[in-house]
Amino acid sequence: AQSVAQPEDQVNVAEGNPLTVKCTYSVSGNPYLFWYVQYPNRGLQFLLKYITGDNLVKGSYGFEAEFNKSQTSFHLKKPSALVSDSALYFCAVQTGANNLFFGTGTRLTVIP
Amino acid sequence: GAVVSQHPSRVICKSGTSVKIECRSLDFQATTMFWYRQFPKQSLMLMATSNEGSKATYEQGVEKDKFLINHASLTLSTLTVTSAHPEDSSFYICSASIEGGPYEQYFGPGTRLTVT
């Protein structure tokens, strides 16, 4: 069975500082990994994905994530946080059948 | 590209009535559409997966007679909440994917359902 864990419900970071939102996964077979962002009362917006290839994936809005197979992690990072990055972030894993399994979400607050 | 719309964005209905939510892929053909439910401050829970022209596959615990899903065309899927009750109040989000991968799902903006 597949699962995704986001160990932090809340992450606070000062504007301009680097940010990390953590994600670990458990899946049989090769995972497809995704990060999505959700703003209040909105659907999810795609940030980036890892399917295969380079472990460092670059996505929208300056975000990137590193696939670490040995640690089964896919942490989301950004070198310099913006206040507008404040939102709810979801990590998700997909295996065959196109089904996405989401983590519980991490609320990122960037403090001016 | 790959835009998904939902209608309505917000709906309030009385207990016992039925509500239909539409999900459309605007600029691509979606062979598979997904319906999710999101409770406040919680993650998305997959309710069902629908493929065009066939019956939807419901996740365990989701009542198929209560949440009717129709995927009549490659650009439209509908979710009908029948005999709605206050506990059905939630944020419903649809997504769509394109046949052949790369497995990315494109999400609609969501529908806020409130049952009074």
Side-chain angles (χ1 to χ4, degrees), chain A residues 6 32 34 36 38-46 49 51 88 90-91 94 96-105 107, chain B residues 10 31-32 34 36 38 41-46 49 59 91 93 97-99 101-110 112:
Chain A
Q6 292 180 245
Y32 301 131
F34 299 79
Y36 287 87
Q38 185 181 32
Y39 295 97
N41 294 310
R42 300 290 298 277
L44 273 66
Q45 295 180 30
F46 170 77
K49 65 186 176 190
I51 303 298
L88 188 58
F90 289 99
C91 180
Q94 186 178 69
N98 284 352
N99 287 2
L100 273 175
F101 293 89
F102 286 88
T104 50
R107 184 163 300 282
Chain B
R10 185 181 296 267
T31 50
T32 305
F34 304 84
Y36 294 86
Q38 185 179 30
K41 299 183 179 180
Q42 293 191 28
S43 187
L44 280 72
M45 300 300 295
L46 179 65
T49 303
E59 294 299 302
F91 194 53
I93 304 175
S97 66
I98 302 171
E99 184 178 13
Y103 310 109
E104 182 177 328
Q105 291 185 21
Y106 304 95
F107 285 81
R112 171 76 59 194

Side-chain angles (χ1 to χ4, degrees), chain B residues 56-104:
Chain B
T57 301
Y58 289 82
E59 294 299 302
Q60 190 173 8
V62 178
E63 298 176 58
K64 62 180 181 181
D65 294 330
K66 180 168 187 60
F67 298 99
L68 300 178
I69 293 173
N70 183 279
H71 193 160
S73 76
L74 286 173
T75 60
L76 173 64
S77 177
T78 60
L79 167 68
T80 301
V81 183
T82 62
S83 187
H85 291 281
E87 56 265 31
D88 299 325
S89 298
S90 191
F91 194 53
Y92 292 87
I93 304 175
C94 74
S95 70
S97 66
I98 302 171
E99 184 178 13
Y103 310 109
E104 182 177 328

Side-chain angles (χ1 to χ4, degrees), chain B residues 3-67:
Chain B
V3 178
V4 176
S5 69
Q6 276 184 247
H7 178 79
S9 59
R10 185 181 296 267
V11 59
I12 301 173
C13 71
K14 292 185 177 181
S15 185
T17 61
S18 295
V19 174
K20 179 184 287 187
I21 303 170
E22 292 186 349
C23 178
R24 293 182 184 272
S25 57
L26 298 185
D27 51 2
F28 67 99
Q29 293 186 327
T31 50
T32 305
M33 286 186 167
F34 304 84
W35 286 95
Y36 294 86
R37 183 173 179 177
Q38 185 179 30
F39 292 100
K41 299 183 179 180
Q42 293 191 28
S43 187
L44 280 72
M45 300 300 295
L46 179 65
M47 298 174 66
T49 303
S50 72
N51 292 292
E52 185 263 340
S54 61
K55 291 184 178 180
T57 301
Y58 289 82
E59 294 299 302
Q60 190 173 8
V62 178
E63 298 176 58
K64 62 180 181 181
D65 294 330
K66 180 168 187 60
F67 298 99

Side-chain angles (χ1 to χ4, degrees), chain A residues 10-30:
Chain A
Q10 175 81 43
V11 170
N12 297 326
V13 63
E15 185 177 21
N17 282 4
L19 69 87
T20 299
V21 183
K22 296 179 181 178
C23 172
T24 59
Y25 66 91
S26 174
V27 63
S28 56
N30 294 320

Side-chain angles (χ1 to χ4, degrees), chain A residues 23-25 67-75:
Chain A
C23 172
T24 59
Y25 66 91
F67 171 62
N68 188 318
K69 188 173 183 178
S70 63
Q71 296 185 6
T72 62
S73 66
F74 190 57
H75 301 331

